[in-house]
Amino acid sequence: MAEPVRVRFAPSPTGHLHVGGARTALFNWLFARRHRGVFILRIEDTDRSRSTEEFIVSIVEAMRWLGLDWDEGPPASGYRQTDRLEIYKAHAERLLAEGRAYRCVCPPAELGAQRKAAQARGETFRYSGKCREANVPADVPHALRLKLPLSGQTVVQDLIHGTVTFEQSQLDDWIIVRTDGGPTYNFCVVVDDVTMKITHVIRGNDHLSNTPKQILCYRALGYPSPTSR
Ligand code: GLU
């Protein structure tokens, strides 16, 4: 029998549910119901400075008002990213142990200056890879970066956009865990989609540019990517 469909709506509680979010939630809900699958509500609250309890309550109420009932999610625990920090930590440690991530001690001020210089040249800032082979010891405060292939392409097979190709030169070794120990957004999304066994990712167009980054993270973790639409 084919694998059961599992989809998710994953709002960030940085505001009330808006029409775009409701549309994404509706598509996921319809897809799950059509395939007798599972619809998951996941609260993406890793951005602690912008997420609030009030917005979580408001989003949950709005979903109920719309009649978009979920099969897994709040009030059960484990469906808020802040409930899942240990899971992200374990995945980050594994990537580090396997040499797929590395410690970085580049000061934010230095990176900020490089970013400004790149912008002044009309270019997108890309991390230089300075710490890639530096073997930074564990006892120095550090961030963790994902070690990406230096050349080639990452191909996104999107069910709506078709084949979308990203040159490796457009991507850089992005941070998966900040110096303060906080896991970053794209990393949490990948770990969540893997551990929640999501089969199809249905989300706003604005996330298409995040998809190649996330695909490379799935690969680094040794997991197949879900289907994207
Ligand atoms: N949390 C994201 C947002 O509110 C959605 C992430 C995703 O669907 O992958 O836009």
Side-chain angles (χ1 to χ4, degrees):
M1 213 176 86
E3 183 185 30
V5 161
R6 290 176 62 84
V7 290
R8 83 308 194 269
F9 174 54
S12 303
T14 53
H16 299 289
L17 185 68
H18 54 77
V19 175
R23 175 180 181 272
T24 303
L26 175 63
F27 273 91
N28 276 284
W29 182 88
L30 286 169
F31 191 79
R33 298 294 171 253
R34 161 78 178 80
H35 294 282
R36 295 180 198 286
V38 175
F39 176 51
I40 298 166
L41 176 62
R42 179 171 84 217
I43 305 293
E44 299 206 319
D45 61 346
T46 27
D47 184 349
R48 304 287 265 276
S49 62
R50 294 172 58 225
S51 302
T52 69
E53 290 299 320
E54 183 205 337
F55 289 137
I56 295 177
V57 170
S58 156
I59 290 169
V60 165
E61 274 176 5
M63 292 285 289
R64 292 214 172 100
W65 182 79
L66 286 165
L68 301 176
D69 54 324
W70 52 98
D71 307 303
E72 293 180 22
S77 64
Y79 293 91
R80 277 174 70 156
Q81 289 183 326
T82 45
D83 289 344
R84 303 171 57 80
L85 297 174
E86 287 304 314
I87 303 175
Y88 309 131
K89 192 164 172 241
H91 281 79
E93 279 169 5
R94 176 156 78 76
L95 287 173
L96 184 64
E98 291 173 356
R100 294 180 176 276
Y102 62 91
R103 299 187 188 100
C104 173
V105 286
C106 290
E110 186 181 307
L111 297 173
Q114 290 170 5
R115 186 182 303 273
K116 264 199 177 154
Q119 280 164 354
R121 293 193 302 270
E123 293 168 13
T124 307
F125 169 71
R126 290 179 65 239
Y127 175 61
S128 66
K130 189 173 166 190
C131 290
R132 209 172 145 111
E133 308 301 338
N135 284 320
V136 171
D139 56 356
V140 195
H142 58 264
L144 289 184
R145 287 185 184 270
L146 193 63
K147 201 180 219 176
L148 297 192
L150 293 172
S151 58
Q153 297 173 326
T154 299
V155 177
V156 177
Q157 294 296 353
D158 188 274
L159 292 171
I160 290 171
H161 291 281
T163 303
V164 189
T165 304
F166 293 83
E167 292 297 328
Q168 219 51 45
S169 57
Q170 292 172 261
L171 306 169
D172 66 356
D173 290 348
W174 50 281
I175 292 181
I176 56 171
V177 180
R178 288 184 289 264
T179 311
D180 65 5
T184 58
Y185 167 72
N186 278 303
F187 181 56
C188 296
V189 170
V190 170
V191 172
D192 288 341
D193 286 345
V194 165
T195 51
M196 293 180 180
K197 299 188 166 41
I198 300 301
T199 55
H200 297 74
V201 173
I202 306 171
R203 62 183 168 198
N205 252 340
D206 49 332
H207 288 287
L208 186 60
S209 59
N210 283 329
T211 310
K213 294 172 83 171
Q214 295 179 4
I215 287 178
L216 290 163
C217 191
Y218 280 103
R219 271 192 213 145
L221 288 166
Y223 297 121
S225 305
T227 308
S228 142
R229 37 179 94 181

